[in-house]
């Protein structure tokens, strides 16, 4: 273990980081972590650090704040998070380090002194800081009132979130809030943005054109043909890996070896993997629209039994031209390459219902069977008269016609009242289990995140009779997530 002097610590942030990691009981920082540390110290006044989830960019930057305060008690920090909790976590980490890390003892107040000074999580002063309206460190969320704050260094940590970047208006507001940083910053100050893109139209792409020195650390080494994606911002260490023919290999093999990356990739949508782990916000159409009609298999199904074996085909030979093409250009519905002769009763059959009131919205329904690890779409439909007697009659008829084992409905509408009405209506005719499902978050994202792995892996087979009309896929996308989630 190398000997690091106090002078080394004050002059070189990488030396401080090594000592801090040692105190935390962590392994020595990796080469990529040292590279981020060096970039923080020498990269310039406007930095954009884009790193994959888990590279520890927040911890490293929190340590950077401590190091700057150790070197100069005058420094005023503003830590801005995507939400208040995120900013508070970083502030608390710094405060706990000051209280316990011996190297930071010059910044530490005694217990009785803390009662007379600012020492909260969201605002605190370090010992030796000169009198000032602005605290040594202030923690705020990007959505809070930042006007009136002043700082020498502003840290924006994961300020782009799914909640504030999923619409054009949200991204425009976020960029305007980022612009406020310049008015808050004291003369000669620095801004450091840490982030992971949440959308292909990430605000970080715009920030790069505002004079920020940008650097990117993806989870895997890009292949040479992927280099234009990173616009010459790739980490020099990772660029050397590309030059040495290591494309596709983990960039942090000691912390995130291939088996860990494969596990993470399998649990994420392809677009989420490309954005959050490979930091590719210039997604191709294939990644941008990952659910494809051609990943389905269309087959004439039986209402009571399905094939144990169906093999998907990737060739145009099995393209079905008798149905209208409702997908993107070049997308189509196709038949299986092979269907086995062994047909067995479905293990379970569901009717999933998305209820609505009266008006333009439909009470939509879909019936699926499960067998041998696949879902079989047997029938679907919708009624515009919400929860009328006729709608309840038709739902009961369809449930009994397909002999479903369970009805699943989204209870958000009416607080579960729809299920009670439907249950009372069906009981004398076709009694069946009726299960509510609580849905949270943006509907489109819930649907996509659940269905993409199912469809991409060719686990959804559609009855040829259920492909009528252009809204077949809309209904399937809107309801199947309830069934797939209920199966875990």
């Amino acid at each position: 273990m190398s000997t690091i002097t106090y002078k080394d610590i004050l002059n070189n942030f990488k030396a401080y980081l090594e000592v801090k990691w040692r105190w935390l009981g962590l392994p020595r920082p990796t080469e990529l972590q040292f590279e981020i540390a060096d970039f923080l110290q020498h990269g310039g006044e406007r930095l954009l650090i884009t790193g994959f989830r888990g590279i520890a960019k927040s911890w490293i930057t929190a340590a950077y704040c401590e190091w700057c305060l150790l070197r100069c008690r005058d420094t005023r920090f503003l830590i801005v998070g995507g939400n208040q909790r995120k900013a508070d976590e970083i502030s608390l980490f710094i405060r706990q380090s000051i209280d316990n890390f011996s190297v930071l003892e010059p910044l530490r107040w005694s217990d009785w002194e803390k009662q007379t000074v600012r020492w909260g999580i969201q605002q605190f002063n370090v010992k030796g800081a000169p009198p000032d309206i602005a605290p040594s460190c202030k923690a705020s969320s990007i959505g809070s009132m930042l006007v009136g704050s002043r700082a020498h260094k502003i840290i924006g940590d994961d300020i782009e979130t799914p909640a504030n970047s999923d619409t054009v208006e949200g991204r425009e507001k976020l960029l305007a809030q980022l612009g406020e940083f310049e008015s808050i910053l004291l003369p000669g100050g620095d801004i450091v943005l840490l982030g992971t893109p949440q959308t292909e139209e990430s605000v970080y792409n715009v920030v790069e054109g505002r004079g920020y020195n940008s650097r990117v650390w993806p989870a895997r080494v890009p292949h040479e043909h992927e280099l234009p994606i990173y616009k010459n911002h790739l980490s020099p260490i990772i660029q050397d890996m590309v030059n040495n023919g290591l494309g596709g290999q983990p960039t942090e093999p000691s912390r995130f070896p291939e088996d860990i990356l494969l596990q993470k990739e399998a649990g994420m949508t392809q677009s989420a993997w490309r954005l959050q782990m490979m930091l590719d916000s210039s997604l191709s159409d294939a990644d941008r629209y990952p659910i494809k009609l051609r990943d389905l298999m269309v087959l004439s199904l039986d209402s009571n039994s399905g094939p144990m074996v169906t093999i998907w085909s990737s060739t145009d030979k099995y393209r079905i031209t008798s149905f209208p093409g409702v997908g993107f250009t070049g997308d189509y519905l196709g038949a299986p390459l092979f269907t086995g002769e062994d047909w067995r009763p479905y293990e379970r059959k569901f009717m999933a219902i998305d209820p609505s009131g009266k008006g333009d919205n439909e009470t939509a329904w879909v019936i699926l069977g499960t067998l041998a690890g696949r879902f079989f779409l047997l029938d679907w439909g919708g009624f515009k008269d919400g929860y009328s007697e006729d709608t309840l009659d038709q739902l009961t008829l369809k449930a009994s016609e397909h002999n479903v084992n369970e009805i699943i409905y989204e209870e958000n509408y009416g607080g579960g009242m729809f299920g009670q009405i439907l249950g009372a209506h069906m009981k004398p005719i076709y009694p069946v289990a009726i299960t509510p499902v609580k849905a949270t978050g943006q509907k489109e994202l819930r649907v996509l995140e659940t269905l993409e792995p199912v469809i991409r892996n060719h686990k959804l087979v559609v009855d040829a009779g259920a492909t009528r009309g252009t809204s077949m896929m809309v209904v399937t996308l809107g309801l199947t997530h309830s069934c797939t989630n209920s199966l875990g």
Side-chain angles (χ1 to χ4, degrees), residues 176-296:
Q177 290 166 330
L178 276 172
E180 290 181 16
F181 285 6
E182 297 295 340
S183 60
I184 293 169
L185 197 65
L186 291 166
D190 306 331
I191 300 175
V192 177
L193 300 181
L194 316 172
T196 303
Q198 299 297 321
T199 168
E200 62 267 25
E201 296 187 36
S202 172
V203 298
Y204 299 128
N205 295 336
V206 179
V207 166
E208 287 177 353
R210 293 184 174 181
Y212 279 73
N213 186 7
S214 174
R215 192 159 291 176
V216 183
W217 286 268
R220 280 203 182 104
V221 181
H223 294 281
E224 196 162 347
H225 70 271
E226 296 176 305
L227 289 179
I229 292 170
Y230 300 98
K231 307 173 190 174
N232 298 318
H233 299 317
L234 200 61
S235 142
I237 290 176
I238 297 177
Q239 180 64 61
D240 286 343
M241 293 179 180
V242 176
N243 298 340
N244 290 327
L246 299 178
Q249 299 297 311
T251 57
E252 284 273 58
S254 62
R255 299 180 63 238
F256 293 92
E258 182 64 13
D259 59 329
I260 297 296
L261 293 184
L262 287 172
Q263 187 179 43
K264 287 181 174 291
E265 187 173 6
M268 302 171 71
T269 65
Q270 189 61 22
S271 55
W273 169 264
R274 293 297 303 174
L275 279 169
Q276 297 182 20
M277 299 302 287
M278 292 305 295
L279 311 172
D280 176 8
S281 58
S282 59
L283 299 178
S284 66
D285 283 349
D287 292 323
R288 197 172 299 178
Y289 310 113
I291 294 182
K292 299 287 190 296
L293 293 177
R294 64 173 177 265
D295 285 329
L296 301 169

Side-chain angles (χ1 to χ4, degrees), residues 379-443:
D379 204 354
W380 65 271
F383 305 106
K384 283 197 173 178
D385 50 354
Y387 44 85
S388 69
E389 285 293 314
D390 184 54
T391 294
L392 298 176
D393 285 341
Q394 292 297 322
L395 291 173
T396 303
L397 177 64
K398 284 295 179 181
S400 61
E401 180 184 319
H402 289 279
N403 196 29
V404 300
N405 309 112
E406 184 178 7
I407 292 176
I408 296 172
Y409 73 97
E410 189 174 297
E411 69 172 346
N412 294 41
Y413 175 78
M417 185 60 69
F418 177 84
Q420 297 180 36
I421 296 172
L422 180 63
H425 187 89
M426 294 184 68
K427 188 173 182 179
I429 306 168
Y430 185 73
V432 67
I434 299 178
T435 305
V437 174
K438 185 74 173 177
T440 59
Q442 185 182 349
K443 176 173 281 193

Side-chain angles (χ1 to χ4, degrees), residues 68-88:
C68 290
L69 288 167
L70 186 63
R71 284 161 53 94
C72 179
R73 316 292 192 275
D74 253 353
T75 309
R76 298 291 187 264
F77 276 93
L78 174 61
I79 298 172
V80 183
N83 55 56
Q84 188 64 51
R85 192 180 83 172
K86 177 68 173 175
D88 289 349

